[in-house]
Amino acid sequence: MNILVINCGSSSLKFQLIDAETEKLIAKGLCERIGIEGSQLVYQPEGKDKITTVTPMEDHTTAVKLVLNSLTDSVNGVVKDLSEIAAVGHRIVHGGEKFAKSTLITDEVVKAITDCNELAPLHNPANLIGIAACKELMPNTPMAAVFDTAFHQTMPKEAYLYGIPYEYYEKYKVRRYGFHGTSHSYVSNRAAEVLGKKYEDLKIIVCHLGNGASVSAVKNGKCIDTSMGLTPLEGLIMGTRSGDIDPAIIEFIAHKEGKSIDDIMSILNKKSGVLGLSSNLSSDFRDLQDAYESGKEEGIRTIETFAYRVTKYIGAYTAAMNGVDAICFTAGLGENSAFVREMICSRLGYLGITLDKEQNSKRGEELVISTPDSTTKVLVIPTNEELAIARETKALLK
Ligand code: AMP
């Protein structure tokens, strides 16, 4: 059973075709600059070279059409025709309080996702365009919506409420939702499997450290807290997002620099994080690590402040769960930077953690990087959100 996984952004569309029985990747790719000059499709059948086609894509329907043509192409295609695609799984960023689980897409579901648009104005409308484009071209193929927020819907009120007038929650659903849920769910489940323990018996902290970054506390198989909030701006210091700040900073800077709230929000989302903290040196940790190692102050202060924030969240979530059995690192930075993992773990001796440096130096595989006598285990689990979406879609078809 082949499942097409679609992750649609405002001007991009990432896709993977996965055999949901064997869980093997069949082909993947990316449409970039949709609706903008210079659009291109990068398509890669598994085990073969990438094929890049520069071609106009006036909208997402054109992009989906090109993807489907590539998948069914007589030379480089991987399926005979569209009947070999059993279903499409769509990544949807915000499901609000309406969606605590993935769901098959119906007209009512589309309406309910549309109702969440104001909570994720940059992401949800693009996700909906992806659904509409696929429906137009594959009207009889079942489709599933898999939400970034769903895994976190088990958070208790004490974790999701803000200390602001309760009427804003009642009127506008202003609360913490959390994101990267598909990744937190996949990684915490895999951690239990790798440790050979029951998921329901464990207290797990997942550190999803990529360009966007978040931490979650998963107790007995349920998320009880996570660091992102109403939007993905809260929590850790990220590539370009500030993470937690004193909200009074917004007014302070607006007055000092003569800026509007929109200007400041754009700065907090696009010009802050490690990029801003490093005085625009880079938002990429590879550059920051080079700067750190060559003794540049910008690199040192940025990486140390980033790591300190992660350590603080691990401490908070250990307290929230009254203990922790396993800490997992995932996503671009979490999976690839032995350096940052070591910096974070060196501050966790109080949890009985000793890092196995040889294990920590390996890459690209699932690893336990704490020594066997460590009382809290530390793991690296490469995330696979597309596979998780394919699994959810397959389960819904049944
Ligand atoms: P993601 O958003 O999960 O794709 O993660 C992207 C980020 O991971 C990049 O911006 C880098 O900061 C970081 N990253 C990727 N590879 C490495 C690496 N080898 N060493 C350090 N950081 C890395």
Side-chain angles (χ1 to χ4, degrees):
M1 179 199 288
N2 300 330
I3 292 179
L4 179 62
V5 176
I6 299 270
N7 181 355
C8 202
S10 55
S11 65
S12 71
L13 186 155
K14 286 188 214 150
F15 66 94
Q16 286 195 6
L17 187 68
I18 295 173
D19 180 334
E21 303 297 342
T22 60
E23 303 206 327
K24 292 232 162 71
L25 176 67
I26 301 171
K28 66 177 178 182
L30 164 72
C31 298
E32 292 173 293
R33 300 179 66 82
I34 300 168
I36 308 171
E37 213 175 309
S39 40
Q40 63 171 25
L41 163 72
V42 181
Y43 167 68
Q44 186 173 29
E46 181 59 2
K48 298 203 180 144
D49 290 340
K50 279 185 190 163
I51 303 161
T52 302
T53 315
V54 179
T55 177
M57 287 180 220
E58 59 182 11
D59 55 25
H60 286 75
T61 308
T62 315
V64 174
K65 215 178 269 174
L66 288 164
V67 169
L68 298 178
N69 286 347
S70 300
L71 293 170
T72 54
D73 183 71
S74 57
V75 181
N76 292 307
V78 285
V79 290
K80 268 205 307 285
D81 56 50
L82 294 184
S83 68
E84 290 186 21
I85 298 176
V88 183
H90 291 269
R91 178 192 180 201
I92 309 293
V93 168
H94 217 308
E97 286 189 331
K98 289 202 179 93
F99 296 104
K101 293 197 286 233
S102 307
T103 181
L104 284 175
I105 297 175
T106 60
D107 290 346
E108 290 90 78
V109 168
V110 168
K111 159 123 195 6
I113 297 172
T114 310
D115 289 343
C116 299
N117 277 2
E118 64 179 5
L119 293 170
L122 296 178
H123 296 100
N124 269 31
N127 301 158
L128 284 163
I129 291 172
I131 293 176
C134 287
K135 273 182 110 176
E136 193 181 325
L137 298 165
M138 313 165 82
N140 299 317
T141 307
M143 312 223 177
V146 180
F147 300 91
D148 265 25
T149 46
F151 181 62
H152 305 303
Q153 277 296 305
T154 47
M155 280 195 286
K157 253 190 175 171
E158 64 195 29
Y160 72 67
L161 287 180
Y162 289 111
I164 58 173
Y166 191 65
E167 63 180 284
Y168 299 139
Y169 170 62
E170 293 175 307
K171 283 202 276 191
Y172 312 121
K173 295 285 173 221
V174 173
R175 50 158 284 179
R176 307 183 60 258
Y177 290 94
F179 298 87
H180 296 139
T182 311
S183 175
H184 287 285
S185 166
Y186 174 85
V187 169
S188 52
N189 271 286
R190 277 304 300 153
E193 285 167 14
V194 170
L195 293 173
K197 299 251 167 80
K198 271 174 79 181
Y199 191 43
E200 293 74 21
D201 291 342
L202 291 172
K203 297 171 180 172
I204 303 171
I205 294 175
V206 179
C207 304
H208 177 112
L209 309 180
N211 198 26
S214 63
V215 190
S216 68
V218 184
K219 186 179 183 186
N220 307 132
K222 291 202 164 98
C223 176
I224 62 138
D225 207 345
T226 191
S227 58
M228 284 177 167
L230 174 75
T231 74
L233 186 56
E234 189 180 344
L236 298 179
I237 298 169
M238 309 181 214
T240 62
R241 288 177 231 152
S242 64
D244 301 334
I245 59 162
D246 179 345
I249 292 172
I250 296 173
E251 187 204 28
F252 187 87
I253 302 287
H255 283 163
K256 287 278 180 204
E257 302 254 323
K259 291 192 188 300
S260 67
I261 289 189
D262 284 356
D263 294 338
I264 303 287
M265 292 318 293
S266 170
I267 291 167
L268 293 177
N269 273 297
K270 298 188 184 144
K271 299 200 168 145
S272 299
V274 293
L275 176 70
L277 193 49
S278 67
S279 305
N280 295 321
L281 189 70
S282 180
S283 64
D284 193 308
F285 274 83
R286 284 163 282 205
D287 303 329
L288 295 167
Q289 187 179 333
D290 287 346
Y292 185 101
E293 284 168 349
S294 57
K296 276 203 185 127
E297 215 284 308
E298 296 93 322
I300 296 169
R301 69 169 182 251
T302 302
I303 292 191
E304 287 187 343
T305 311
F306 170 86
Y308 178 73
R309 179 80 56 93
V310 178
T311 316
K312 231 165 57 159
Y313 266 99
I314 291 172
Y317 288 171
T318 302
M321 294 193 288
N322 191 20
V324 57
D325 299 304
I327 297 171
C328 309
F329 289 99
T330 194
L333 175 67
E335 289 168 30
N336 293 304
S337 179
F339 172 79
V340 168
R341 289 195 300 261
E342 183 171 351
M343 184 178 280
I344 293 167
C345 290
S346 69
R347 299 158 189 228
L348 300 176
Y350 73 100
L351 290 174
I353 290 172
T354 309
L355 200 66
D356 180 331
K357 292 201 176 176
E358 199 187 318
Q359 281 291 94
N360 190 41
S361 67
K362 295 181 184 166
R363 273 200 18 209
E365 53 185 307
E366 291 178 338
L367 298 164
V368 177
I369 59 168
S370 49
T371 55
D373 62 340
S374 293
T375 45
T376 301
K377 304 295 172 201
V378 184
L379 297 94
V380 177
I381 306 280
T383 194
N384 193 338
E385 288 166 283
E386 291 78 11
L387 176 58
I389 291 171
R391 281 181 183 166
E392 291 278 317
T393 305
K394 180 182 160 201
L396 285 166
L397 290 182
K398 294 199 165 147

